[in-house]
Amino acid sequence: MQAVRSQAFRVVGSRIKSVVPARSLCPQVIPVVQRKQFATRATGKDTELVEKKDLQNDIIFKPFDEVKDELSLVEQADMNGSPPEDSFARVGYTKDAEYAINEQINIEYNMSYVYHAMSAYFDRDNVALPGLASYFRAASLEERTHATTLMDFQAVRGGRTKLAHLTAPQSNYQNEEKGDALHAMELALSLEKLNFHKLRELHDVADASEDAQMSDFVEDMLAEQAKGVKVVADYVAQLRRIGKGHGVFHFDQMMAEDASKLATPSTQY
């Protein structure tokens, strides 16, 4: 009988089999060690460890007190106002940054205008270089897309887009010494490099305004622009090798293929 009390049993078929001592079925008392939870809290210039439960009673952020200034600006903004302060979305966006973005919009549109004129020149019946015509048409559309992207950025940040006058580009790109293809491509390279410098200046404005979001936005444009400079620089090198003769015809065929890669569905007519 004593043996029965000290063991746990189960019936397997007609046999009774011992499974585990009965004492293991009894709940055991497991000691609970309570550890204090700590968190960091800034005290002056140092950071000290304090019990986490103490932070539960601390007021870290008072939204209804700290939002008063921004709420006042939103309430005073006019629905159809033109001053910068009449914007619901504007936050941390300086007038210098807004002005610089508008300048860059004008630069992108001017480049688009020049490339469009180049496209029209190479599409003439007495020039007949359709590959270069297609390439510069696609380049024009790409610059216009950049201008639209900047206008979208202006709207997101609560700025006001102001378009300026465009300078009329030249319509003839003939050059007796270099040939029209090399002459136009060297001009395009100069424009791409100038645009890179202008984007650097735009980034400087963002840094001076301590506008991290704008800096990040311009850095993406700079990365793309650097690649664009390299592409056009390669074209200039290739055209200098082949000169003004028959090689320009084969170069034009290559440009037709490159134009199809440059023109995305979002930038086609």
Side-chain angles (χ1 to χ4, degrees):
M1 193 56 134
Q2 200 66 0
V4 173
R5 290 196 183 119
S6 62
Q7 299 285 330
F9 296 87
R10 67 177 177 179
V11 178
V12 181
S14 58
R15 294 178 299 170
I16 299 177
K17 186 175 180 180
S18 174
V19 180
V20 66
R23 62 178 177 271
S24 66
L25 301 178
C26 298
Q28 298 182 12
V29 178
I30 301 174
V32 177
V33 180
Q34 295 184 348
R35 295 183 177 88
K36 292 182 179 181
Q37 293 182 325
F38 293 94
T40 59
R41 180 171 61 184
T43 58
K45 295 182 179 179
D46 302 322
T47 302
E48 65 177 6
L49 287 176
V50 294
E51 288 191 35
K52 194 172 183 180
K53 63 181 181 181
D54 289 344
L55 291 178
Q56 295 175 356
N57 297 323
D58 290 349
I59 298 177
I60 307 300
F61 176 58
K62 299 179 181 179
F64 295 104
D65 290 339
E66 299 188 29
V67 81
K68 287 181 180 178
D69 292 339
E70 290 293 342
L71 180 59
S72 176
L73 292 174
V74 171
E75 290 175 342
Q76 294 175 17
D78 184 7
M79 283 289 290
N80 299 308
S82 58
E85 55 269 17
D86 287 334
S87 167
F88 296 142
R90 196 182 191 103
V91 54
Y93 192 48
T94 66
K95 292 183 180 180
D96 288 342
E98 179 182 16
Y99 182 82
I101 288 291
N102 279 330
E103 274 194 336
Q104 188 61 35
I105 291 171
N106 184 257
I107 291 169
E108 301 289 348
Y109 270 127
N110 268 287
M111 291 183 62
S112 174
Y113 210 15
V114 173
Y115 289 154
H116 218 159
M118 289 181 177
S119 173
Y121 169 80
F122 288 107
D123 202 31
R124 291 180 183 179
D125 57 358
N126 61 344
V127 178
L129 291 173
L132 283 164
S134 297
Y135 172 79
F136 283 118
R137 184 179 296 115
S140 174
L141 291 170
E142 184 182 38
E143 299 305 330
R144 252 190 287 172
T145 300
H146 293 165
T148 302
T149 301
L150 288 159
M151 293 170 70
D152 291 342
F153 175 86
Q154 195 80 288
V156 168
R157 296 302 303 274
R160 299 292 181 262
T161 296
K162 295 182 179 179
L163 301 179
H165 295 289
L166 300 180
T167 303
Q170 65 187 76
S171 57
N172 196 324
Y173 295 91
Q174 292 179 349
N175 187 288
E176 290 297 328
E177 179 184 354
K178 300 178 180 179
D180 48 9
L182 176 58
H183 175 60
M185 199 61 73
E186 285 183 343
L187 178 57
L189 177 59
S190 300
L191 287 171
E192 293 294 334
K193 293 172 76 172
L194 176 62
N195 196 24
F196 182 84
H197 289 302
K198 293 296 184 180
L199 287 170
R200 284 285 304 273
E201 292 174 4
L202 184 61
H203 190 270
D204 290 341
V205 173
D207 285 345
S209 302
E210 298 182 347
D211 194 327
Q213 191 267 343
M214 180 177 170
S215 295
D216 185 62
F217 171 79
V218 178
E219 284 168 7
D220 288 341
M221 296 191 73
L222 274 167
E224 181 181 349
Q225 188 63 28
K227 294 178 182 177
V229 169
K230 175 61 167 62
V231 169
V232 181
D234 288 349
Y235 292 153
V236 169
Q238 291 164 3
L239 283 168
R240 285 192 179 183
R241 286 180 180 276
I242 64 179
K244 299 188 297 181
H246 187 262
V248 175
F249 172 77
H250 294 286
F251 180 85
D252 184 71
Q253 291 180 315
M254 180 192 74
M255 293 304 293
E257 297 178 4
D258 288 358
S260 64
K261 298 175 185 176
L262 184 61
T264 60
S266 60
T267 60
Q268 290 179 349
Y269 281 112

Short mmCIF file of all heavy atoms in Angstrom, two decimals, residues 130-139 141-142 235 252-268:
data_model
loop_
_atom_site.label_atom_id
_atom_site.label_comp_id
_atom_site.label_asym_id
_atom_site.label_seq_id
_atom_site.Cartn_x
_atom_site.Cartn_y
_atom_site.Cartn_z
N PRO A 130 18.39 61.29 -86.71
CA PRO A 130 17.22 61.02 -85.85
C PRO A 130 17.59 60.49 -84.47
O PRO A 130 16.84 60.69 -83.51
CB PRO A 130 16.43 59.98 -86.65
CG PRO A 130 17.45 59.35 -87.56
CD PRO A 130 18.42 60.43 -87.90
N GLY A 131 18.72 59.79 -84.38
CA GLY A 131 19.13 59.28 -83.08
C GLY A 131 19.44 60.40 -82.11
O GLY A 131 18.99 60.40 -80.95
N LEU A 132 20.20 61.40 -82.57
CA LEU A 132 20.51 62.56 -81.73
C LEU A 132 19.25 63.37 -81.44
O LEU A 132 19.07 63.89 -80.33
CB LEU A 132 21.56 63.43 -82.41
CG LEU A 132 22.99 62.91 -82.32
CD1 LEU A 132 23.90 63.60 -83.33
CD2 LEU A 132 23.54 63.09 -80.91
N ALA A 133 18.35 63.45 -82.44
CA ALA A 133 17.09 64.17 -82.22
C ALA A 133 16.27 63.50 -81.11
O ALA A 133 15.74 64.17 -80.22
CB ALA A 133 16.28 64.21 -83.52
N SER A 134 16.20 62.17 -81.15
CA SER A 134 15.45 61.44 -80.12
C SER A 134 16.12 61.56 -78.75
O SER A 134 15.44 61.70 -77.72
CB SER A 134 15.33 59.97 -80.51
OG SER A 134 14.60 59.82 -81.71
N TYR A 135 17.44 61.50 -78.75
CA TYR A 135 18.17 61.59 -77.47
C TYR A 135 17.93 62.94 -76.79
O TYR A 135 17.61 63.01 -75.61
CB TYR A 135 19.66 61.37 -77.68
CG TYR A 135 20.46 61.64 -76.43
CD1 TYR A 135 20.53 60.69 -75.41
CD2 TYR A 135 21.12 62.86 -76.25
CE1 TYR A 135 21.24 60.93 -74.25
CE2 TYR A 135 21.83 63.10 -75.08
CZ TYR A 135 21.88 62.15 -74.09
OH TYR A 135 22.58 62.41 -72.93
N PHE A 136 18.05 64.02 -77.55
CA PHE A 136 17.89 65.35 -76.94
C PHE A 136 16.42 65.62 -76.60
O PHE A 136 16.13 66.35 -75.65
CB PHE A 136 18.45 66.43 -77.86
CG PHE A 136 19.95 66.52 -77.83
CD1 PHE A 136 20.71 66.29 -78.97
CD2 PHE A 136 20.61 66.81 -76.64
CE1 PHE A 136 22.10 66.36 -78.93
CE2 PHE A 136 22.00 66.88 -76.59
CZ PHE A 136 22.74 66.66 -77.73
N ARG A 137 15.49 65.01 -77.33
CA ARG A 137 14.08 65.14 -76.96
C ARG A 137 13.84 64.45 -75.62
O ARG A 137 13.15 64.99 -74.74
CB ARG A 137 13.18 64.54 -78.03
CG ARG A 137 11.69 64.72 -77.74
CD ARG A 137 10.82 64.14 -78.84
NE ARG A 137 11.03 64.84 -80.10
CZ ARG A 137 11.55 64.28 -81.18
NH1 ARG A 137 11.93 63.01 -81.16
NH2 ARG A 137 11.69 64.98 -82.29
N ALA A 138 14.42 63.26 -75.45
CA ALA A 138 14.27 62.55 -74.18
C ALA A 138 14.96 63.31 -73.05
O ALA A 138 14.46 63.36 -71.91
CB ALA A 138 14.85 61.14 -74.30
N ALA A 139 16.13 63.91 -73.34
CA ALA A 139 16.84 64.69 -72.32
C ALA A 139 16.02 65.91 -71.91
O ALA A 139 15.98 66.28 -70.73
CB ALA A 139 18.20 65.13 -72.86
N LEU A 141 12.74 66.14 -71.93
CA LEU A 141 11.65 65.66 -71.08
C LEU A 141 12.14 65.30 -69.68
O LEU A 141 11.45 65.51 -68.69
CB LEU A 141 11.00 64.44 -71.74
CG LEU A 141 10.21 64.73 -73.02
CD1 LEU A 141 9.83 63.43 -73.72
CD2 LEU A 141 8.98 65.55 -72.73
N GLU A 142 13.35 64.76 -69.61
CA GLU A 142 13.91 64.42 -68.30
C GLU A 142 14.13 65.67 -67.44
O GLU A 142 13.81 65.66 -66.25
CB GLU A 142 15.24 63.67 -68.48
CG GLU A 142 15.83 63.19 -67.17
CD GLU A 142 17.16 62.49 -67.37
OE1 GLU A 142 17.94 62.94 -68.23
OE2 GLU A 142 17.43 61.51 -66.66
N TYR A 235 30.05 60.49 -74.26
CA TYR A 235 29.63 60.81 -75.62
C TYR A 235 30.60 61.80 -76.28
O TYR A 235 30.93 61.67 -77.47
CB TYR A 235 28.22 61.41 -75.62
CG TYR A 235 27.13 60.44 -75.24
CD1 TYR A 235 25.94 60.88 -74.66
CD2 TYR A 235 27.28 59.07 -75.47
CE1 TYR A 235 24.93 60.01 -74.32
CE2 TYR A 235 26.27 58.18 -75.12
CZ TYR A 235 25.11 58.66 -74.54
OH TYR A 235 24.11 57.78 -74.19
N ASP A 252 25.03 58.06 -84.37
CA ASP A 252 23.62 58.43 -84.32
C ASP A 252 22.73 57.22 -84.11
O ASP A 252 21.72 57.29 -83.40
CB ASP A 252 23.23 59.15 -85.62
CG ASP A 252 21.81 59.66 -85.58
OD1 ASP A 252 21.54 60.63 -84.84
OD2 ASP A 252 20.96 59.10 -86.30
N GLN A 253 23.10 56.10 -84.74
CA GLN A 253 22.32 54.87 -84.54
C GLN A 253 22.41 54.40 -83.09
O GLN A 253 21.43 53.92 -82.51
CB GLN A 253 22.83 53.79 -85.49
CG GLN A 253 22.52 54.07 -86.96
CD GLN A 253 23.04 52.96 -87.86
OE1 GLN A 253 24.17 52.49 -87.71
NE2 GLN A 253 22.23 52.56 -88.84
N MET A 254 23.59 54.53 -82.50
CA MET A 254 23.75 54.17 -81.09
C MET A 254 22.91 55.09 -80.20
O MET A 254 22.30 54.65 -79.21
CB MET A 254 25.22 54.27 -80.70
CG MET A 254 25.50 53.91 -79.23
SD MET A 254 27.16 54.36 -78.69
CE MET A 254 26.99 56.15 -78.55
N MET A 255 22.86 56.38 -80.54
CA MET A 255 22.09 57.34 -79.74
C MET A 255 20.60 57.03 -79.77
O MET A 255 19.88 57.29 -78.80
CB MET A 255 22.34 58.76 -80.25
CG MET A 255 23.75 59.26 -80.03
SD MET A 255 24.28 59.19 -78.31
CE MET A 255 23.20 60.40 -77.59
N ALA A 256 20.12 56.47 -80.87
CA ALA A 256 18.71 56.10 -80.95
C ALA A 256 18.38 55.04 -79.90
O ALA A 256 17.31 55.07 -79.27
CB ALA A 256 18.38 55.59 -82.35
N GLU A 257 19.30 54.08 -79.70
CA GLU A 257 19.09 53.06 -78.68
C GLU A 257 19.15 53.66 -77.29
O GLU A 257 18.35 53.32 -76.40
CB GLU A 257 20.15 51.96 -78.83
CG GLU A 257 20.08 51.20 -80.15
CD GLU A 257 21.18 50.17 -80.27
OE1 GLU A 257 21.94 50.00 -79.30
OE2 GLU A 257 21.29 49.54 -81.34
N ASP A 258 20.11 54.57 -77.05
CA ASP A 258 20.24 55.19 -75.74
C ASP A 258 19.04 56.06 -75.42
O ASP A 258 18.63 56.17 -74.26
CB ASP A 258 21.52 56.02 -75.67
CG ASP A 258 22.77 55.15 -75.61
OD1 ASP A 258 22.62 53.92 -75.59
OD2 ASP A 258 23.89 55.70 -75.60
N ALA A 259 18.47 56.69 -76.43
CA ALA A 259 17.30 57.54 -76.21
C ALA A 259 16.11 56.73 -75.72
O ALA A 259 15.34 57.18 -74.87
CB ALA A 259 16.94 58.28 -77.50
N SER A 260 15.97 55.52 -76.24
CA SER A 260 14.86 54.66 -75.81
C SER A 260 15.00 54.24 -74.36
O SER A 260 14.02 54.01 -73.66
CB SER A 260 14.78 53.42 -76.70
OG SER A 260 15.96 52.61 -76.55
N LYS A 261 16.24 54.17 -73.86
CA LYS A 261 16.47 53.83 -72.46
C LYS A 261 16.22 55.03 -71.57
O LYS A 261 15.74 54.92 -70.45
CB LYS A 261 17.91 53.34 -72.26
CG LYS A 261 18.26 52.09 -73.02
CD LYS A 261 19.74 51.74 -72.86
CE LYS A 261 20.13 50.55 -73.72
NZ LYS A 261 21.58 50.26 -73.64
N LEU A 262 16.57 56.21 -72.08
CA LEU A 262 16.41 57.43 -71.29
C LEU A 262 14.97 57.84 -71.16
O LEU A 262 14.53 58.34 -70.11
CB LEU A 262 17.20 58.57 -71.94
CG LEU A 262 17.25 59.91 -71.20
CD1 LEU A 262 17.92 59.74 -69.84
CD2 LEU A 262 18.00 60.94 -72.02
N ALA A 263 14.18 57.62 -72.22
CA ALA A 263 12.78 58.02 -72.21
C ALA A 263 11.95 56.97 -71.49
O ALA A 263 11.76 55.86 -71.99
CB ALA A 263 12.27 58.20 -73.64
N THR A 264 11.47 57.27 -70.31
CA THR A 264 10.61 56.38 -69.54
C THR A 264 9.16 56.67 -69.87
O THR A 264 8.84 57.74 -70.41
CB THR A 264 10.84 56.57 -68.03
OG1 THR A 264 10.52 57.93 -67.69
CG2 THR A 264 12.29 56.30 -67.67
N PRO A 265 8.22 55.76 -69.52
CA PRO A 265 6.81 56.02 -69.82
C PRO A 265 6.30 57.32 -69.22
O PRO A 265 5.42 57.96 -69.77
CB PRO A 265 6.10 54.80 -69.18
CG PRO A 265 7.13 53.73 -69.22
CD PRO A 265 8.44 54.42 -69.00
N SER A 266 6.86 57.75 -68.08
CA SER A 266 6.38 58.97 -67.42
C SER A 266 6.85 60.23 -68.13
O SER A 266 6.37 61.31 -67.85
CB SER A 266 6.86 58.99 -65.97
OG SER A 266 8.26 58.97 -65.91
N THR A 267 7.84 60.11 -69.03
CA THR A 267 8.38 61.30 -69.68
C THR A 267 8.11 61.32 -71.18
O THR A 267 8.62 62.19 -71.88
CB THR A 267 9.90 61.39 -69.45
OG1 THR A 267 10.54 60.23 -70.01
CG2 THR A 267 10.24 61.48 -67.98
N GLN A 268 7.34 60.40 -71.70
CA GLN A 268 7.06 60.38 -73.14
C GLN A 268 5.88 61.31 -73.42
O GLN A 268 5.01 61.53 -72.59
CB GLN A 268 6.73 58.96 -73.58
CG GLN A 268 7.97 58.04 -73.56
CD GLN A 268 7.61 56.63 -73.98
OE1 GLN A 268 6.46 56.30 -74.10
NE2 GLN A 268 8.62 55.81 -74.18
#
